[in-house]
Amino acid sequence: FVVLKQEKKKEMFISKLSLLFAIICAALLNHFTDGLVLCKARHEKAGLFVHRREVCRIVAAAAVVGFAPPHTQALERSNPSIKQSLSEEYRQGTAALADSEKNAILPREAYKKLPSGIVYADVRTGSGDLAEVGKKVNIQWVLRKSNGYFVDSSEVSGSVPFIFTIGDKAGAISGLDEGIRGMRSGGTRRIIIPPNMAYVEGVDDGKPGPIPVGFGPRQQIRRVMSLRKDVPGEYLYLEIQLTRVR
């Protein structure tokens, strides 16, 4: 009788523990789902919610113009069919800005590689003033990591533009400063930036920008710059819209 009573208590304890675990799991799932819906709704309103795989495809397109890790380039030299067999989806774009052409597909020829290692492609060519050294510019921007994860954007901060003077080393990160040159006001450009041309001076206030806002976004960039800056294929993806040149 004593043994049966102990077993019954044990079964009741396990049953209560299982119920508690189920309640906790349900609460966490509900919290995650609500957060995802809220995030998606907020970014879809501005055309900013893009699946991270789309950005990965854009980064992959950089390999088409030689912006690939050394081991990838070696494979392409030994087997040219690898490079030729890249499917159209590797050139698939993203509506990262509200005014971008949604899912704009860019041809391989659209991606250009600069001697510094910057790769860029124009989604839309502007018709306004030219961005050149000495000009002060206003941009709207979206920043992502090479795996496609969203870091921050000007839209999150109320669409306040990032303003800097081209050529001023204290203004923008070198990858943006170089990548924006040649654009015209009204244009949209995608820039793929290696870490050595990104946030090398850090992400504290007053450093070359655009600086992500908040501890979380800044920590993402700090991890990239401290732990992954030498990892082959690690880049930062920046899509910008040039709104003013003066």
Side-chain angles (χ1 to χ4, degrees), residues 114-236:
L114 301 177
S116 62
I118 296 293
V119 171
Y120 72 90
D122 287 313
V123 179
R124 178 188 301 166
T125 303
S127 57
D129 296 328
L130 182 67
E132 53 188 352
V133 176
K135 297 285 189 178
K136 181 175 285 189
V137 295
N138 292 27
I139 66 167
Q140 297 291 326
W141 56 276
V142 178
L143 178 64
R144 295 177 183 273
K145 296 192 294 183
S146 59
N147 59 11
Y149 279 111
F150 175 85
V151 177
D152 201 4
S153 74
S154 53
E155 188 273 337
V156 173
S157 299
S159 297
V160 175
F162 175 57
I163 304 173
F164 68 98
T165 300
I166 301 175
D168 181 2
K169 294 183 179 180
I173 56 175
S174 58
L176 171 58
D177 187 88
E178 182 176 343
I180 196 175
R181 300 180 189 189
M183 287 186 69
R184 289 189 177 274
S185 180
T188 301
R189 177 172 289 184
R190 296 170 183 154
I191 309 174
I192 301 172
I193 305 173
N196 66 342
M197 297 192 71
Y199 297 92
V200 294
E201 296 185 30
V203 289
D204 296 323
D205 293 336
K207 299 297 184 180
I211 299 295
V213 177
F215 178 78
R218 292 186 183 189
Q219 277 298 97
Q220 291 188 57
I221 298 301
R222 289 189 182 105
R223 282 194 291 270
V224 171
M225 299 304 298
S226 63
L227 302 177
R228 299 187 58 81
K229 63 180 180 180
D230 297 322
V231 176
E234 185 65 45
Y235 314 109
L236 289 175

Side-chain angles (χ1 to χ4, degrees), residues 44-55:
E44 279 184 337
K45 184 178 180 181
L48 287 162
F49 189 83
V50 183
H51 199 286
R52 66 188 183 91
R53 285 180 296 181
E54 297 302 319
V55 179

